[in-house]
Amino acid sequence: MDSEIVVRRLSLQNYAETWQEMKNFTDLRQADTPDEVWLLQHPPVFTQGQAGKPEHVLNPGDIPVVQTDRGGQVTYHGPGQLVMYTLFDLKRLKIGIRELVSKLETTVIQVLADYKISAAARCDAPGVYVNEAKICSIGLRVRRGCSYHGIAFNIDMDLEPFTRINPCGFSNLTVTQMKQLTPQVNFKDVESKIVSYLIENFRYNQPSFI
């Protein structure tokens, strides 16, 4: 079924405040509330998933660590990383969490293909990978049949903080970004492409941009 979606471009936002706003939105939304996508970046922050193990945070230094309610283990957010939060009514979309993850992975893989970058998902660890190096993480929470949190797509950022953790709980996981694979990448162009594919893949027919 086709449906509405609101796309908000929010630029640089504090992690904890944005997380609270996502929870508030999800708690207050009604059956007819349009789904939303929030596009933003965060100042440097490590976030731990619900089952995150402290031993995977090796040496955070001066970067704060926030315990969140999403799935998955520890990851890093920082400027130059495209964060896309998907506040979707899964019951209305008639999809489950596994299909949501798969569609988000497909969306990122399609964007990378536009830059002639071959990428794939893995059945044992959600996210998108290029030559076994992770380029996009996915962490979600479902409450009242609705999702929040989303993806973190490495575009043009400082990757050094990933060496201070075991990304996603894997000690030998390599992390990459689009800048390493296509040096002329433009952040806004990637943002536009991912929104376009997202709308197509989830069959939204009435996008509103804010």
Side-chain angles (χ1 to χ4, degrees):
M1 182 181 71
D2 294 343
S3 53
E4 299 176 64
I5 189 167
V6 176
V7 180
R8 298 183 187 274
R9 294 187 172 98
L10 301 173
S11 67
L12 190 68
Q13 298 290 326
N14 174 275
Y15 181 84
E17 293 173 4
T18 307
W19 174 30
Q20 186 60 52
E21 289 169 3
M22 285 192 289
K23 290 190 290 186
N24 292 344
F25 177 89
T26 302
D27 287 342
L28 296 174
R29 67 180 300 168
Q30 304 297 314
D32 59 351
T33 301
D35 291 343
E36 297 204 1
V37 167
W38 296 0
L39 301 164
L40 58 136
Q41 301 173 59
H42 288 305
V45 62
F46 295 111
T47 61
Q48 270 278 30
Q50 274 191 311
K53 297 179 179 177
E55 59 263 35
H56 294 310
V57 182
L58 306 176
N59 178 27
D62 58 353
I63 298 176
V65 181
V66 177
Q67 184 76 43
T68 78
D69 61 349
R70 64 163 172 75
Q73 297 282 330
V74 64
T75 193
Y76 170 73
H77 302 297
Q81 180 189 66
L82 173 58
V83 173
M84 182 173 73
Y85 290 136
T86 50
L87 295 96
F88 292 174
D89 184 332
L90 301 185
K91 183 182 295 185
R92 190 168 59 200
L93 289 172
K94 296 184 171 61
I95 63 173
I97 185 69
R98 183 58 247 177
E99 187 172 356
L100 172 60
V101 170
S102 179
K103 284 178 177 285
L104 292 174
E105 290 169 336
T106 297
T107 299
V108 173
I109 290 169
Q110 288 171 314
V111 172
L112 290 166
D114 279 355
Y115 293 88
K116 303 188 185 311
I117 299 170
S118 179
R122 283 171 43 173
C123 59
D124 62 330
V128 177
Y129 301 79
V130 177
N131 298 326
E132 302 299 321
K134 196 164 196 175
I135 196 166
C136 178
S137 299
I138 297 178
L140 296 160
R141 167 86 177 187
V142 176
R143 190 156 69 182
R144 301 176 61 231
C146 299
S147 68
Y148 58 101
H149 293 290
I151 73 166
F153 189 7
N154 304 333
I155 309 298
D156 182 4
M157 62 187 298
D158 178 10
L159 296 179
E160 184 278 332
F162 283 105
T163 67
R164 307 188 197 184
I165 59 174
N166 290 330
C168 306
F170 294 98
S171 59
N172 297 315
L173 180 64
T174 303
V175 175
T176 190
Q177 60 178 331
M178 287 193 71
K179 183 76 171 180
Q180 290 179 332
L181 304 164
T182 178
Q184 302 306 314
V185 65
N186 179 280
F187 192 97
K188 290 296 182 186
D189 288 346
V190 176
E191 189 177 83
S192 296
K193 286 178 182 293
I194 201 167
V195 169
S196 178
Y197 280 121
L198 185 88
I199 289 171
E200 178 183 329
N201 291 338
F202 286 89
R203 301 182 60 201
Y204 291 108
N205 68 343
Q206 299 179 56
S208 300
F209 294 87
I210 297 175

